[in-house]
Amino acid sequence: MDGYSYSGRKPHFREELTLVERGTPMGEYLRRFWHPVGLIADATATPRRVRILSEDLVLFRDGAGRPGLVHARCMHRGADLFYGRGEEQGIRCCYHGWMFDVEGRCVDMPMEPDNGCKVRDRIRQPWYPVEERYGLIFAYMGPPDKKPLLPRYELLENLQDGEVIVADDSNLGSGGYGIAPCNWLQHFDNVVDPFHVPVLHQSFSGIQFVAEMGVKPDVQFEAFEQGVRSEQVRDLGDGSKLRRVTEALLPNVRVVPSPRLAMGPTEGIGFVVPIDSTHYLVYNVARAAPGTDLGAIRSKPGGKDWREMTEDERQRFPGDWEAQTSQGEIAFHSEEHLASSDAGIAMLRRLLARQVKLVAEGSDPVGWTQTPGEEWIRSRSGNFTISAEA
Ligand code: FES
Ligand SMILES: [Fe+2]
């Protein structure tokens, strides 16, 4: 990769934190957890392409309503199962009609003598287990004996009257839609970077959220077992203070309270999912009123929807997309100059590096469990008011 260098050395990035291919340290660490691969409605009889952790897969639903996730290339002679179709018992390849159930078993070989019954049991289309929860389809792509329980997030379980769980795959934050063309860690770093808010989202681009967010916060970072927390206190000048708590939870979960300052505990979480080493997607899930479109709750820098902005307008009203993708496909860590305001980022990378090493050495990472009852994840994130007397 070409690039500038402050140091005179070849610029480089921390591969163990960024690369997600199978066999890389981070790729193997992430493969110890469940990751969203689609919204529940994405799995239908019409196959849908899924790319995650640099693997090309196909998502479908069989006639019994079971979702399935298989490698895109048919094990017979490699036709793309995207061109197949979901049928009663599985997904049928368009080329010679082999059909695979949701666990990759070949259940039909219509052009073979006896329907292939002599050979069918000896082969298996590569497949991954999936589970549906919180409006999402989660997949596990790691070693079968290391499949953990699918986590339960306390903040998504205690629904108030009239609330439902809504999920969205289109919203990256302030501006930016769908798939971002840069490494996932650039987004995860940003979760523990509260100091960018008064600059990028206010003094630079006008008020992208609400005026109170433009106040420079006093920030305390805290590394704990499961992640990094930042506690931001803003003096609102009327005797009250805003206490805002944001968390990055291992391996890739963001718990960020409303930047428009809905008060109280945070109502949703986001999964920062690497598509490959140079692209990522965020799946957001939240408690909300029925029909709420999470994708529609986003900033309008300069009064415009991000998709309608020209490059010239993005230059005048940059948001998270512009800041993070412009750091490069994979930001060169060798060229950074981390300052005291980056303490949370240093903590997060240290935690991730330790977990990656644990997995490489054969241990189980933090947040991984096969013990029922231990799959609960709790958060202290939210927007809270500290009154004058407090
Ligand atoms: S390539 Fe799929 S059935 Fe032949
Ligand atoms: Fe931001």
Side-chain angles (χ1 to χ4, degrees):
M1 212 179 277
D2 292 334
Y4 56 87
S5 173
Y6 289 114
S7 57
R9 293 169 303 161
K10 190 167 158 44
H12 56 275
F13 49 81
R14 293 184 63 181
E15 295 186 4
E16 80 281 17
L17 298 184
T18 49
L19 302 184
V20 299
E21 286 72 23
R22 183 175 286 283
T24 61
M26 177 56 77
E28 291 305 308
Y29 165 61
L30 290 172
R31 280 172 175 77
R32 293 295 190 282
F33 296 93
W34 292 88
H35 299 285
V37 293
L39 306 177
I40 281 180
D42 290 340
T44 69
T46 304
R48 181 183 168 97
R49 290 189 203 283
V50 168
R51 186 166 162 78
I52 175 170
L53 303 181
S54 276
E55 295 187 30
D56 289 306
L57 310 170
V58 165
L59 178 69
F60 69 98
R61 196 178 291 278
D62 71 10
R66 289 173 301 199
L69 185 67
V70 290
H71 273 213
R73 290 190 159 278
C74 174
M75 61 164 309
H76 177 216
R77 279 171 41 212
D80 191 340
L81 290 170
F82 173 75
Y83 298 110
R85 64 173 178 239
E87 294 192 8
E88 193 56 32
Q89 292 183 69
I91 186 168
R92 189 184 295 280
C93 178
C94 73
Y95 204 1
H96 313 94
W98 290 20
M99 180 152 69
F100 307 101
D101 74 8
V102 295
E103 296 190 337
R105 285 181 211 91
C106 188
V107 293
D108 197 16
M109 284 185 179
M111 296 298 113
E112 289 296 307
D114 298 329
N115 199 11
C117 62
K118 294 211 176 56
V119 291
R120 276 200 335 242
D121 290 349
R122 297 208 294 268
I123 57 168
R124 199 101 173 237
Q125 174 72 13
W127 64 284
Y128 292 123
V130 292
E131 281 196 41
E132 298 178 274
R133 188 176 291 168
Y134 304 138
L136 298 172
I137 298 176
F138 291 86
Y140 173 72
M141 301 166 68
D145 63 326
K146 290 290 183 187
K147 187 174 84 176
L149 292 171
L150 180 60
R152 288 195 175 276
Y153 297 88
E154 197 175 60
L155 66 86
L156 295 175
E157 299 273 344
N158 301 321
L159 299 184
Q160 310 291 310
D161 275 354
E163 283 181 337
V164 294
I165 293 289
V166 290
D168 177 83
D169 64 356
S170 70
N171 190 353
L172 299 181
S174 79
Y177 279 73
I179 295 171
C182 68
N183 186 257
W184 73 285
L185 188 63
Q186 276 144 252
H187 190 97
F188 208 36
D189 277 347
N190 177 266
V191 175
V192 286
D193 179 9
F195 288 107
H196 84 277
V197 175
V199 182
L200 180 67
H201 297 303
Q202 194 117 336
S203 67
F204 221 86
S205 293
I207 298 174
Q208 289 188 348
F209 303 126
V210 293
E212 291 90 327
M213 291 292 279
V215 176
K216 183 178 169 189
D218 286 326
V219 179
Q220 300 245 309
F221 294 106
E222 180 193 354
F224 54 105
E225 199 195 19
Q226 179 85 53
V228 174
R229 179 177 295 126
S230 86
E231 179 164 328
Q232 310 143 43
V233 176
R234 287 171 167 85
D235 190 336
L236 299 183
D238 60 356
S240 70
K241 290 182 176 180
L242 168 70
R243 188 171 73 88
R244 180 174 164 79
V245 181
T246 300
E247 290 171 345
L249 301 181
L250 299 178
N252 61 341
V253 175
R254 39 172 292 160
V255 194
V256 177
S258 155
R260 290 162 190 83
L261 297 187
M263 300 303 286
T266 301
E267 292 159 345
I269 62 176
F271 298 89
V272 187
V273 179
I275 290 171
D276 52 35
S277 294
T278 55
H279 297 83
Y280 73 84
L281 178 68
V282 175
Y283 285 94
N284 287 300
V285 187
R287 290 184 280 118
T292 302
D293 178 1
L294 292 182
I297 307 170
R298 52 164 72 87
S299 306
K300 289 203 170 19
K304 268 196 175 177
D305 190 279
W306 186 85
R307 282 175 293 197
E308 296 162 3
M309 291 169 76
T310 62
E311 179 72 350
D312 180 53
E313 287 165 330
R314 286 184 197 157
Q315 186 184 30
R316 278 186 287 139
F317 303 104
D320 286 313
W321 173 281
E322 285 70 29
Q324 291 167 35
T325 61
S326 67
Q327 289 175 296
E329 277 191 323
I330 306 179
F332 287 132
H333 301 120
S334 63
E335 310 308 303
E336 292 177 338
H337 298 83
L338 295 190
S340 60
S341 55
D342 300 308
I345 287 168
M347 286 175 185
L348 184 60
R349 292 180 185 173
R350 216 175 295 135
L351 282 186
L352 282 169
R354 194 181 309 143
Q355 295 305 311
V356 162
K357 189 158 175 281
L358 272 179
V359 168
E361 291 169 353
S363 302
D364 299 324
V366 161
W368 178 99
T369 183
Q370 292 179 327
T371 308
E374 289 183 1
E375 74 275 38
W376 285 86
I377 310 253
R378 295 174 178 86
S379 165
R380 288 198 231 148
S381 167
N383 292 316
F384 310 98
T385 306
I386 307 173
S387 63
E389 308 82 65

